[in-house]
Amino acid sequence: AQPDTTVYHERWRPQVHFSPKAHWTNDPNGMVYSNGTYHLFFQYFPGGTTWGPMHWGHTISKDLIHWQEQPVALYPDSLGYIFSGSAVADVHNTSGFGKGGKTPLVAIYTNHDPKGEHDGKNDFQNQSIAYSLDEGKTWTKYSGNPVLKNPGIRDFRDPKVNWVETVKKWIMTLATQDHITFFSSPDLKNWTKESEFGKTLGAHGGVWECPDLLAFDHQGKKVWVLIVNINPGGPNKGSATQYFTGDFDGHTFTPGDSITKWIDYGADEYAGITWSNTGKRHVFLGWMSNWMYANEVPTKTWRNAMTIPRELSLVKENGHFYVSSLPVKELQASATTVSRRTNLKANGDVYMCTAPLYLTMKADELKDFTMSFHYGAGAELVIGFDKASNTWFIDRTTTGEHGFNKEFAARHTAPRIATGKGLELTLVVDETSVEMFADHGVITMTDIFFPNAPLQKISITADKELLIRQWQLSKLKSIWK
Ligand code: FRU
């Protein structure tokens, strides 16, 4: 089915980000690449625009940018709601679900039993599996569910499963309250506990949720990254995505340092994880909201959207590994350049523009600057860098509607981690969101906002010495047209 163009043009509807046609969404789930198609499942409540009994919604894309929503993939069952999890292409048919040479897609998710939530046993979240032999169109739940029973831990959820070649097993990374527990399996059905990680490391201002484990090649050596979402306790309050860098030997994760690192410092990237079966490419996508106010944001027919898919890579700053995020290159295919300039003194410049847009800016030396996005009637979104405190910031205090929650109107900051001298910035600005990728993505910040008028122009106030080497402003085509 082609996207319905009347629906996707309501007020505040993201134009370059996936949001379901109607109703509530939270976490991305089961992201898997199979036969040229990117699958994105998502926490979905088809019965309303606030969180409710969870289903897995489903959407597909050939290019990570244009999405075609599919029928709901997984419905609640006798074991409970369908909470977050992952999916893999079981190419060696280790599960035995494959028939007639067909590779099964296997979804591994949490069954959350709302009836068991208050019986004191704390064992109401269990891991289950389902498989599809028709590229995700229809799913069969395994008769032996749950495949991993809860020993009595209140928060026991969000399995992310990867094939780990060194041990030739599936490894499940599971969020277990205030730490991660790793399990292994030869067949996705029988799981053995391997180890625990993180009780005394990282941020602990809230519950650990939605983890991911991935490996990068760095100068011939593998460096492992363990992603752990946490709610609340993020650097700018509420939900956020932290990560650890280190080593995983197939059994145990050993951190390389004790620094608390964040994939995204903004208020509105959460539950982010990566696609399975993309080879060496690591494509990350998060939910573009925050549990502080996700149920209250002022959209009417749908609630919440996903971030732009981001390519992750590993960089070293000050002797430590960090993950950098940048919008996937596929986004640029729908960009038309409207202004390209070199060697300009930025201070005082004004650019007329509309959303959605894609902007890149480079300078040899990073100095104070403030970029204001004007929405009419004095409303603006302000982003920039403050040299005195060495911080990046996004300020949405006056960007539009914020009365729905007292935490919403705020200025968010992120420390500068990169040690280079230069300025390098990429921005993706949609109708109701900004994603800022600073210092080649080492610092990323995502914020949503609800302006009452369309974007009109950008103005820059900067240190008089700031010389922009390259400036490129592009218009992005709506993905729903
Ligand atoms: C994270 C989360 C997950 C859970 C899901 C429920 O946002 O709380 O831990 O599986 O949402 O919808």
Side-chain angles (χ1 to χ4, degrees):
Q2 286 306 308
D4 179 338
T5 52
T6 56
V7 172
Y8 293 96
H9 294 280
E10 315 100 317
R11 184 182 193 198
W12 292 326
R13 179 68 90 165
Q15 294 301 304
V16 293
H17 292 83
F18 173 76
S19 56
K21 182 170 175 181
H23 302 130
W24 165 271
T25 186
N26 55 292
D27 315 355
N29 296 145
M31 291 133 77
V32 60
Y33 181 63
S34 176
N35 286 323
T37 297
Y38 293 93
H39 292 266
L40 165 61
F41 300 88
F42 47 93
Q43 287 286 278
Y44 187 51
F45 180 43
T49 49
T50 50
W51 191 87
M54 284 290 112
H55 299 56
W56 273 26
H58 185 199
T59 187
I60 55 173
S61 175
K62 294 279 177 204
D63 63 358
L64 290 163
I65 303 299
H66 296 84
W67 296 97
Q68 293 198 339
E69 200 169 337
Q70 306 294 306
V72 168
L74 295 172
Y75 286 80
D77 55 40
S78 60
L79 296 172
Y81 302 163
I82 315 296
F83 269 24
S84 288
S86 50
V88 295
D90 182 13
V91 286
H92 300 301
N93 197 19
T94 62
S95 60
F97 291 140
K99 299 245 156 53
K102 275 191 188 149
T103 293
L105 291 180
V106 182
I108 310 98
Y109 57 89
T110 301
N111 261 135
H112 169 97
D113 180 7
K115 296 192 296 298
E117 214 171 328
H118 306 288
D119 67 3
K121 288 195 264 176
N122 289 339
D123 60 354
F124 53 93
Q125 293 183 338
N126 295 279
Q127 317 323 314
S128 294
I129 59 178
Y131 64 94
S132 172
L133 296 175
D134 57 5
E135 293 293 321
K137 285 192 190 69
T138 59
W139 293 83
T140 307
K141 286 175 182 153
Y142 175 49
S143 56
N145 282 341
V147 291
L148 175 60
K149 285 220 175 90
N150 188 329
I153 301 174
R154 253 197 102 71
D155 301 287
F156 190 76
R157 60 176 179 265
D158 309 339
K160 177 77 195 282
V161 172
N162 301 303
W163 179 257
V164 174
E165 192 52 39
T166 47
V167 288
K168 297 215 167 1
K169 277 186 185 148
W170 297 104
I171 296 293
M172 179 195 292
T173 309
L174 194 71
T176 49
Q177 207 162 325
D178 61 349
H179 61 283
I180 295 299
T181 308
F182 295 104
F183 296 86
S184 68
S185 172
D187 58 5
L188 298 165
K189 294 170 176 165
N190 298 285
W191 293 94
T192 308
K193 180 172 168 177
E194 291 286 344
S195 62
E196 295 182 355
F197 166 79
K199 276 190 182 146
T200 57
L201 217 62
H204 282 279
V207 183
W208 283 22
E209 301 183 313
C210 301
D212 195 357
L213 179 70
L214 42 150
F216 291 87
D217 286 326
H218 183 77
Q219 298 170 351
K221 222 184 128 255
K222 267 199 170 144
V223 176
W224 292 78
V225 170
L226 175 62
I227 290 177
V228 178
N229 286 275
I230 175 173
N231 175 58
N236 279 294
K237 287 198 185 168
S239 335
T241 308
Q242 65 176 320
Y243 67 94
F244 304 88
T245 55
D247 189 38
F248 184 74
D249 65 0
H251 307 279
T252 308
F253 182 83
T254 310
D257 59 45
S258 57
I259 305 172
T260 301
K261 302 167 183 172
W262 301 94
I263 290 256
D264 191 310
Y265 274 84
D268 298 300
E269 181 283 305
Y270 190 56
I273 50 168
T274 62
W275 257 273
S276 300
N277 297 81
T278 50
K280 284 208 176 343
R281 201 175 175 199
H282 295 298
V283 184
F284 173 97
L285 175 116
W287 176 43
M288 199 155 57
S289 193
N290 189 312
W291 280 116
M292 286 194 294
Y293 43 70
N295 275 285
E296 296 156 19
V297 295
T299 55
K300 291 266 178 329
T301 53
W302 86 99
R303 248 206 200 100
N304 307 318
M306 300 300 165
T307 66
I308 280 295
R310 301 164 182 182
E311 187 104 33
L312 302 185
S313 59
L314 198 69
V315 297
K316 221 170 192 181
E317 294 288 355
N318 260 331
H320 295 281
F321 285 117
Y322 287 91
V323 169
S324 107
S325 317
L326 286 174
V328 291
K329 60 176 183 331
E330 286 89 338
L331 179 64
Q332 285 158 45
S334 69
T336 319
T337 301
V338 288
S339 107
R340 183 186 281 133
R341 320 238 337 231
T342 51
N343 300 326
L344 61 117
K345 281 270 164 75
N347 187 39
D349 270 8
V350 176
Y351 298 86
M352 304 312 283
C353 61
T354 53
L357 62 82
Y358 186 91
L359 174 61
T360 56
M361 186 170 143
K362 281 186 187 157
D364 297 343
E365 228 181 307
L366 175 54
K367 297 185 181 289
D368 277 315
F369 79 92
T370 300
M371 202 184 273
S372 299
F373 291 76
H374 300 267
Y375 289 90
E380 49 182 51
L381 170 76
V382 190
I383 70 137
F385 179 72
D386 176 50
K387 194 144 190 191
S389 58
N390 203 35
T391 50
W392 297 98
F393 64 88
I394 299 180
D395 191 335
R396 65 177 177 197
T397 324
T398 66
T399 317
E401 302 278 313
H402 56 75
F404 52 87
N405 186 290
K406 65 173 180 7
E407 299 291 353
F408 195 80
R411 181 180 188 270
H412 300 132
T413 62
R416 185 166 197 251
I417 288 168
T419 48
K421 270 182 79 186
L423 159 69
E424 195 173 326
L425 194 75
T426 299
L427 294 178
V428 179
V429 180
D430 203 339
E431 296 293 338
T432 54
S433 63
V434 57
E435 288 159 284
M436 172 171 95
F437 305 89
D439 295 324
H440 204 71
V442 178
I443 289 294
T444 297
M445 296 182 82
T446 304
D447 268 11
I448 56 171
F449 46 84
F450 299 91
N452 286 312
L455 175 60
Q456 298 170 345
K457 62 182 180 194
I458 304 174
S459 65
I460 302 179
T461 316
D463 184 304
K464 299 235 169 6
E465 303 293 306
L466 180 69
L467 179 71
I468 305 292
R469 281 266 168 242
Q470 276 178 42
W471 160 276
Q472 187 165 334
L473 178 62
S474 305
K475 216 174 145 56
L476 291 171
K477 236 205 260 128
S478 166
I479 61 173
W480 307 122
K481 281 203 174 111

